[in-house]
Amino acid sequence: MTNQQALLQPIKMGDLELKNRVWMAPMTRSRAANPETKPFEIHEEYYRQRASSGLIITEGSQISEIGVGYINTPGIYSTDQVEGWKKVTRAVHEEGGHIFIQLWHVGRISHPDFHNGELPLAPSAINPGEKSYTYQGFKDTVTPKEMTLEDITQTIEDFKNGAKNAMEAGFDGVEIHSSNGYLLHQFFNATSNTRTDEYGGSVENRAKILFQVIDAIKEVMPENRIGVRLNPSLNGVFGMEADEETIPTFDYIISKLNDYNLAYLHLSEPFTDVSAIPFLVTNIAKRYRPIYKGTLVINSAFDQEKGNKVIEDGLADAVAFGKPFISNPDLVERFEANAELADWDKDTFYTPGEKGYTDYATLEEIKVG
Ligand SMILES: Cc1cc2nc3c(=O)[nH]c(=O)nc-3n(C[C@H](O)[C@H](O)[C@H](O)COP(=O)(O)O)c2cc1C
């Protein structure tokens, strides 16, 4: 492979010129181990190391206290957190990179331990039957509180506030986390949303909150700096059970996203084998490329070869790499050199400190020894 590789070509996204199509997927790393759950120097170093990526999408960052569901994840709702993120965005920009923050509300994938004993919020009072990783280790999730209309209005406001804070912190944009079984995804799916009001029942009602979130965020930042993440065929993980209505719901959402001039749509191929489930889609890029008219970034289990191919085949404009970016801070340079990749250590995905976080070597460092 030469440097004519599709992945290494620049891409114009809205008014941003990104240097390549090797994007970094959002990944929770649980390093914000401080009472304010604010990013600090270690985050600055981690993201700086990965700034040759065309676009970094940060780890999910909670938009409110009630939006949290894991230990030591950073927030984007307080002044301390905004100050912490400023260091990160400055570092990435100094290296000539671009960075969006992922705005996150976990909904029911949480535990009362995070909320002074109060129940987590969700569209309906249905226990996802998952484990929550709390400060006292893994605990069973509980039946959440069904959100009132006021809770929903407040949550939309929290997303907007998160976006406003993101702008203040110097981010190039935001990605709305409406994926992987978290709050917004819980609204989309009829198995997690049994509401009988304007947010439940029909496809349009279940999708409504996403568009309200986008409309609210648009008030504080340009539409072409907003990305949306979806995982249509997610099934059997993160408490999410798909059904016959799932794909028609995503068909509706994705065609309606064409009404906006978004930065991008970020889709994941199925996280598990869904080939035996007749109502799910096995090839997400193939189904949605013809439907979505804007920039489409695809994710999940891509390597250099598959990444180049999906772009060459016209099925995506960019590829988001997750785990390969954990252990290869210079993933772009390794693709340029057709070099081998380092393996990731899953035991340090979520542990505090530098180990398994900022201590992966670049090719250059390995050569120097
Ligand atoms: C350690 C870890 C943390 C993750 N955290 C997030 C997250 O905060 N937000 C999100 O949307 N996806 C998250 N994901 C999913 C990744 O973005 C990506 O979809 C997944 O790793 C598959 O891509 P890959 O095969 O390139 O790793 C996480 C994945 C890993 C491995």
Side-chain angles (χ1 to χ4, degrees):
M1 275 176 280
T2 66
N3 287 348
Q4 300 305 309
Q5 292 175 62
L7 279 169
L8 300 177
Q9 303 313 305
I11 178 168
K12 197 165 156 37
M13 185 182 74
D15 58 338
L16 292 176
E17 305 269 354
L18 307 181
K19 50 195 177 190
N20 57 59
R21 295 154 191 254
V22 182
W23 296 6
M24 180 172 163
M27 280 180 295
T28 293
R29 303 304 311 279
S30 290
R31 258 61 180 193
N34 56 71
E36 299 83 20
T37 60
K38 60 175 190 225
F40 57 106
E41 286 72 17
I42 193 173
H43 298 82
E44 177 185 345
E45 177 65 9
Y46 171 73
Y47 285 113
R48 181 195 290 278
Q49 290 172 340
R50 287 155 181 79
S52 56
S53 160
L55 181 68
I56 292 174
I57 305 157
T58 71
E59 60 212 275
S61 304
Q62 59 269 10
I63 50 160
S64 59
E65 283 182 31
I66 191 70
V68 74
Y70 295 85
I71 65 166
N72 301 330
T73 57
I76 182 71
Y77 56 86
S78 76
T79 310
D80 283 332
Q81 293 160 355
V82 170
E83 290 308 309
W85 282 119
K86 277 184 188 169
K87 297 191 183 100
V88 172
T89 59
R90 200 178 304 128
V92 172
H93 291 147
E94 272 168 16
E95 303 298 324
H98 287 99
I99 181 164
F100 276 36
I101 185 170
Q102 193 185 46
L103 301 179
W104 195 23
H105 189 310
V106 301
R108 63 185 188 166
I109 307 291
S110 187
H111 192 275
D113 279 11
F114 289 109
H115 312 297
N116 302 316
E118 301 283 315
L119 293 176
L121 298 180
S124 298
I126 302 171
N127 187 337
E130 278 290 321
K131 297 278 177 201
S132 172
Y133 190 50
T134 75
Y135 289 93
Q136 282 84 44
F138 283 103
K139 293 195 177 177
D140 288 335
T141 53
V142 300
T143 301
K145 179 192 154 213
E146 175 171 316
M147 291 169 87
T148 61
L149 290 179
E150 246 175 26
D151 292 328
I152 293 176
T153 306
Q154 182 59 52
T155 301
I156 295 166
E157 196 57 32
D158 291 341
F159 269 101
K160 177 177 167 183
N161 189 48
K164 196 160 155 259
N165 287 342
M167 292 296 91
E168 197 193 326
F171 282 102
D172 297 300
V174 302
E175 175 174 291
I176 300 170
H177 196 350
S178 32
S179 189
N180 300 353
Y182 295 113
L183 183 75
L184 299 179
H185 198 166
Q186 290 158 27
F187 271 90
F188 303 156
N189 216 313
T191 58
S192 45
N193 176 358
T194 55
R195 299 178 71 94
T196 52
D197 64 2
E198 63 188 284
Y199 290 95
S202 66
V203 163
E204 291 81 359
N205 283 1
R206 281 185 274 111
K208 182 186 271 179
I209 188 168
L210 172 64
F211 297 101
Q212 290 180 325
V213 167
I214 301 174
D215 289 338
I217 292 179
K218 263 172 58 180
E219 290 173 21
V220 293
M221 62 186 286
E223 213 169 299
N224 65 5
R225 298 298 187 95
I226 306 172
V228 168
R229 185 170 214 203
L230 300 171
N231 192 340
S233 281
L234 188 76
N235 183 55
V237 285
F238 301 103
M240 200 43 69
E241 295 303 329
D243 67 6
E244 281 85 352
E245 289 184 46
T246 300
I247 292 299
T249 306
F250 283 98
D251 290 352
Y252 166 77
I253 292 175
I254 293 171
S255 9
K256 193 168 158 70
L257 287 175
N258 284 319
D259 297 347
Y260 295 83
N261 178 27
L262 295 179
Y264 62 83
L265 169 64
H266 184 175
L267 294 177
S268 293
E269 294 293 347
F271 279 4
T272 54
D273 181 4
V274 297
S275 53
I277 306 174
F279 53 79
L280 287 181
V281 170
T282 51
N283 192 327
I284 292 292
K286 213 168 174 181
R287 182 178 185 94
Y288 290 111
R289 174 69 287 182
I291 297 179
Y292 187 64
K293 308 297 176 211
T295 300
L296 194 159
V297 53
I298 192 75
N299 164 255
S300 204
F302 280 88
D303 57 16
Q304 183 182 5
E305 198 183 329
K306 284 203 273 175
N308 279 317
K309 184 156 187 332
V310 76
I311 298 173
E312 280 161 13
D313 289 349
L315 293 176
D317 300 298
V319 178
F321 293 88
K323 295 179 289 296
F325 254 118
I326 289 184
S327 47
N328 300 276
D330 57 342
L331 189 65
V332 173
E333 290 78 3
R334 289 187 194 230
F335 285 172
E336 274 165 7
N338 295 311
E340 258 190 55
L341 301 189
D343 287 337
W344 53 84
D345 170 16
K346 63 179 175 23
D347 292 344
T348 50
F349 277 0
Y350 307 108
T351 46
E354 290 167 10
K355 192 166 182 308
Y357 191 55
T358 50
D359 61 353
Y360 286 105
T362 61
L363 274 185
E364 205 56 40
E365 288 161 348
I366 293 168
K367 270 190 221 147
V368 174

